[in-house]
């Protein structure tokens, strides 16, 4: 079996669902703290599936993690657990240091304590896969080449600095202790079960609710968008065949300016669920104050994972965004469950 952390969040939840969609898949122990971003409704279809063992807890709880490792003896750990929202990291960085830095440290130490005394065959096949972000590389200028695995780390936000710190710890646990680690640095994901504090789900839901579509600054910041199922397949591939100690950049070859992303969502909604007044949803676009320290451009050079592990994304932005908008139209119950509590408080604090 494998231990997944943060498997009730957006990408971790998609990963667990994708993994267990294979009837022959190994069991998953899913350790998640259920912060505001963790949502068991995402995993509702697994309620009666004995291959999914959910544990409510913190990756920073050494006693808990060590007891899970001893009890279940997983052959791998896939670490998704993190505070993941850049804007929240600007308002309150402490949780980011706590989970992303100290939590990863605890997980590495627990993994090392479990892995060190394993018999040689289990020891060599064990993997610690750390899921990270392209934001650790900083911001690109318009004509810079995309980020490759050899770019220097130049994180600019509390979030990306905390992820960069965690990547460095993972690297050090390989070089110093020999722990068999793998790191993936991925670009912006989108798709089903995405919490609506992030640009794409926020815009879909605000559009449908007749609310403003907030675009930061001039809307010309560029992100490289990857459909979440493609990210999940990349992680599976790296787990199967990645070289220990290596990092792999994962991206969609889909660089888009934010304003183009928002206009594309509006156009898809105009065709799938036209406004009652037959005006375009793009009329709801509102330019708002920019994010402090806003990175201008991210782009991933994903040639290493393609060359060495034969992985390529399957979705284009056009196919992926259509599927995503359709998913939000088809899943009002999941959305209703999410649009409550701390999410509402966050909107008031941030956009007022
Ligand atoms: P998310 O915020 O949707 O989910 C994070 C999950 O981790 C939640 O279920 C939360 O409850 C859980 N969690 C938080 N702190 C925890 C702790 N201390 N112990 C146990 N569980 C805890 O995040 P996401 O968008 O799914 O991102 C998952 C990972 O992928 C993160 O490490 C993030 O840095 C990375 N990443 C995200 C993107 C993206 O576009 N969303 C892109 C590249 C990399
Ligand atoms: O690049 C990978 C990263 O992508 C991940 O590591 C992060 O966990 C993930 O949250 C995401 O970070 P971003 O900051 O790029 O994503 P977000 O959806 O918050 O914003 C995308 C872009 O849209 C960014 O340039 C800011 C802008 N934006 C965002 C919001 C929420 C707006 O213009 N308006 C908004 O209301």
């Amino acid at each position: 079996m494998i231990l997944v952390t943060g498997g009730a969040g957006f990408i971790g939840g998609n990963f667990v669902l994708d993994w267990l969609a294979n009837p022959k898949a190994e069991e998953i122990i899913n350790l998640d703290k259920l912060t505001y971003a963790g949502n068991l409704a995402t995993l509702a279809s697994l309620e009666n599936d004995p291959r999914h063992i959910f544990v409510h807890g913190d990756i920073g709880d050494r006693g808990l993690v060590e007891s899970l490792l001893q009890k279940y003896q997983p052959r791998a750990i896939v670490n998704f657990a993190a505070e993941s929202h850049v804007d929240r990291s600007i308002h309150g960085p402490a949780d980011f240091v706590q989970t992303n830095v100290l939590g990863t440290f605890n997980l590495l130490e627990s993994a090392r304590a479990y892995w060190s005394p394993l018999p040689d065959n289990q020891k060599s096949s064990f993997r610690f896969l750390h899921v990270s972000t392209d934001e650790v590389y900083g911001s690109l200028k318009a004509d810079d080449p995309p980020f490759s695995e050899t770019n220097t780390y130049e994180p600019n936000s509390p979030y990306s600095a905390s992820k960069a710190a965690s990547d460095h710890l993972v690297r050090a646990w390989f070089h110093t202790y020999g722990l068999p680690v793998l790191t993936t640095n991925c670009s912006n994901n989108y798709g089903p079960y995405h919490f609506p504090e992030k640009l794409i789900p926020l815009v879909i839901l605000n559009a449908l609710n007749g609310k403003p579509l907030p675009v930061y600054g001039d809307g010309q910041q560029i992100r490289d968008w990857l459909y979440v199922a493609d990210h999940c397949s990349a992680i599976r591939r790296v787990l199967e065949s990645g070289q220990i100690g290596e990092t792999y950049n994962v991206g969609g070859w889909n660089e888009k300016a934010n304003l183009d992303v928002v206009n594309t969502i509006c156009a898809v909604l105009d065709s799938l669920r036209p406004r009652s007044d037959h005006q375009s949803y793009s009329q709801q676009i509102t330019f708002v104050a920019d994010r402090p320290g806003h990175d201008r451009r991210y782009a991933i050079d994903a040639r290493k994972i393609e060359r060495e592990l034969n992985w390529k994304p399957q979705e284009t932005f056009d196919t992926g965004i259509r599927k995503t908008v359709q998913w939000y139209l088809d899943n009002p119950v999941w959305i209703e469950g999410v649009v409550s509590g701390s999410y509402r408080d966050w909107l008031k604090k941030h956009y007022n």
Side-chain angles (χ1 to χ4, degrees), residues 66 69-70 73-74 108-124 126 177-180:
E66 286 187 2
L69 293 172
Q70 286 309 329
Q73 304 272 307
L108 284 164
E109 279 295 78
S110 305
R112 185 164 75 90
Y114 160 70
W115 167 82
S116 295
L118 285 177
D120 282 351
N121 62 333
Q122 285 179 44
K123 207 170 168 183
S124 59
F126 182 79
Y177 305 113
L179 188 72

Side-chain angles (χ1 to χ4, degrees), residues 6-321:
F10 164 47
I11 305 173
N14 275 280
F15 180 84
V16 169
L17 292 171
D18 276 8
W19 182 275
L20 294 176
N22 172 1
K24 293 189 187 141
E26 298 156 280
E27 292 162 276
I28 285 185
I29 318 146
N30 182 354
L31 172 64
D32 196 295
K33 190 178 172 185
L34 296 180
T35 66
Y36 78 93
N39 185 355
L40 285 179
T42 299
L43 304 167
S45 62
L46 301 175
E47 214 170 351
N48 298 314
D49 190 331
R51 298 171 307 158
H52 179 238
I53 300 161
F54 182 78
V55 179
H56 183 199
D58 193 323
I59 58 167
D61 181 342
R62 182 93 54 96
L64 172 65
V65 176
E66 286 187 2
S67 71
L68 291 176
L69 293 172
Q70 286 309 329
K71 180 171 176 190
Y72 294 108
Q73 304 272 307
R75 66 151 179 107
I77 297 174
V78 184
N79 181 30
F80 294 96
E83 290 293 335
S84 70
H85 188 35
V86 175
D87 294 319
R88 283 185 194 255
S89 83
I90 295 167
H91 287 274
D95 287 347
F96 289 72
V97 173
Q98 190 62 43
T99 284
N100 301 0
V101 186
L102 297 175
T104 304
F105 163 72
N106 267 295
L107 201 57
L108 284 164
E109 279 295 78
S110 305
R112 185 164 75 90
Y114 160 70
W115 167 82
S116 295
L118 285 177
D120 282 351
N121 62 333
Q122 285 179 44
K123 207 170 168 183
S124 59
S125 61
F126 182 79
R127 295 289 180 269
F128 183 106
L129 192 157
H130 179 61
V131 179
S132 192
T133 171
D134 59 358
E135 300 201 11
V136 296
Y137 298 120
S139 184
L140 293 168
K141 299 205 170 50
D143 50 2
D144 283 342
F147 301 127
S148 81
E149 290 79 359
T150 54
N151 271 62
T152 51
Y153 271 36
E154 294 176 8
N156 291 319
S157 70
Y159 163 69
S160 55
S162 68
K163 291 296 289 186
S166 69
D167 293 9
H168 291 323
L169 292 172
V170 171
R171 176 188 159 91
W173 261 239
F174 169 69
H175 281 275
T176 305
Y177 305 113
L179 188 72
V181 306
L182 298 156
T183 300
T184 53
N185 292 90
C186 188
S187 62
N188 285 63
N189 283 216
Y190 66 104
Y193 305 108
H194 203 179
F195 193 76
E197 63 185 353
K198 309 280 171 68
L199 179 70
I200 288 183
L202 181 84
V203 164
I204 298 170
L205 297 191
N206 276 15
L208 292 170
N209 290 320
K211 293 184 179 160
L213 311 182
V215 172
Y216 297 165
D218 63 2
Q220 293 309 311
Q221 303 81 6
I222 290 173
R223 299 290 182 266
D224 173 359
W225 293 97
L226 180 71
Y227 191 65
V228 64
D230 279 327
H231 189 188
C232 294
S233 76
I235 292 169
R236 288 197 303 269
R237 186 65 54 83
V238 172
L239 190 60
E240 269 162 32
S241 320
Q243 285 293 313
I244 58 170
E246 290 292 311
T247 66
Y248 296 91
N249 281 0
V250 184
W253 302 107
N254 275 312
E255 283 187 60
K256 305 267 174 217
N258 291 340
L259 190 56
D260 295 338
V261 168
V262 175
N263 274 314
T264 303
I265 295 169
C266 291
V268 174
L269 280 171
D270 289 341
S271 77
L272 294 179
R273 179 73 59 87
R275 268 175 38 161
S276 53
D277 63 2
H278 302 292
Q279 300 286 314
S280 171
Y281 286 98
S282 56
Q283 303 227 335
Q284 292 164 231
I285 291 174
T286 311
F287 290 91
V288 299
D290 208 351
R291 172 184 281 175
H294 200 171
D295 285 338
R296 196 68 182 166
R297 175 178 164 235
Y298 305 140
I300 280 278
D301 176 345
R303 283 178 298 175
K304 176 177 173 183
I305 188 172
E306 180 175 350
R307 190 175 60 244
E308 296 185 9
L309 305 183
N310 195 24
W311 175 89
K312 264 201 314 203
Q314 299 300 305
E315 299 288 343
T316 64
F317 189 69
D318 286 344
T319 59
I321 198 70

